[in-house]
């Protein structure tokens, strides 16, 4: 079993939090901004082809932050050969989490969340180098 190394950073000025969970040479980056949280392949963040492995939309910022912390813990428990660390799946893994529960984004919900999704994508792309620097990469 490979040990997990976690580094976290909060940027209150941007309303964001970041964490990286590394397992040997592999790692995942978690980015929380407002009511969106994405999990990315940390080693691919320097390329132009970075893509989220999981993206969650939340109904409240407090629920988003609470789940962000849980996701950090879950990533620590994942195996190196999981879909998050080594064996990425070609899927659009978007979820919605509310007080009622969690489910995959439906076709109809995609349009409802498109503006938030675009803003999150733009934030991550624009702040990527700052996020990586804050986490020591």
């Amino acid at each position: 079993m490979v040990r997990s190394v976690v580094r976290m950073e909060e940027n209150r000025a941007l309303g964001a939090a970041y964490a990286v969970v590394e397992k040997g040479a592999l790692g995942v980056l978690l980015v929380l901004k407002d009511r969106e949280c994405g999990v990315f392949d940390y080693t691919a963040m320097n390329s132009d082809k970075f893509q989220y492995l999981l993206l969650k939309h939340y109904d409240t910022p407090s629920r988003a932050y609470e789940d962000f912390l849980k996701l950090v813990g879950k990533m620590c428990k994942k195996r190196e050969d999981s879909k998050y660390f080594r064996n990425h799946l070609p899927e659009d893994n978007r979820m919605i989490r509310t007080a009622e529960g969690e489910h995959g984004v439906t076709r109809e919900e995609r349009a409802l969340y498109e503006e938030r999704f675009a803003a999150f994508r733009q934030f991550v792309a624009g702040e990527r180098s700052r996020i990586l620097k804050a986490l020591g990469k």
Side-chain angles (χ1 to χ4, degrees):
M1 178 190 251
V2 175
R3 210 170 100 188
S4 297
V5 176
V6 178
R7 291 187 308 279
M8 295 178 72
E9 176 83 21
E10 246 184 276
N11 187 325
R12 293 185 189 266
L14 294 176
Y18 330 113
V20 63
V21 178
E22 292 177 304
K23 293 178 182 282
L26 304 173
V28 292
L29 171 69
L30 294 91
V31 178
L32 173 69
K33 172 72 171 136
D34 300 323
R35 294 178 293 153
E36 272 65 47
C37 182
V39 178
F40 301 88
D41 180 335
Y42 184 57
T43 58
M45 287 304 288
N46 284 326
S47 86
D48 289 335
K49 297 182 182 191
F50 74 93
Q51 169 68 25
Y52 63 85
L53 304 170
L54 171 65
L55 183 99
K56 289 181 151 188
H57 301 286
Y58 301 91
D59 56 348
T60 66
S62 61
R63 184 165 286 113
Y65 186 73
E66 179 182 305
D67 201 50
F68 166 76
L69 295 175
K70 286 181 183 177
L71 283 170
V72 170
K74 285 182 178 181
M75 292 301 139
C76 288
K77 300 291 279 179
K78 296 284 183 191
R79 293 174 30 160
E80 279 183 284
D81 61 352
S82 76
K83 69 180 182 176
Y84 294 103
F85 287 94
R86 180 169 289 135
N87 298 316
H88 303 314
L89 299 177
E91 63 182 353
D92 188 4
N93 194 10
R94 281 176 62 189
M95 308 289 289
I96 295 175
R97 176 144 187 209
T98 65
E100 290 78 41
E102 183 173 279
H103 65 274
V105 174
T106 66
R107 184 171 285 136
E108 296 79 26
E109 289 169 327
R110 285 186 182 279
L112 293 172
Y113 284 88
E114 185 52 38
E115 189 174 318
R116 285 173 50 181
F117 177 58
F120 180 76
R121 209 173 37 222
Q122 183 176 9
F123 171 79
V124 173
E127 296 294 324
R128 180 172 45 162
S129 63
R130 185 181 303 185
I131 292 168
L132 295 175
K133 185 177 180 182
L135 294 170
K137 186 166 187 175

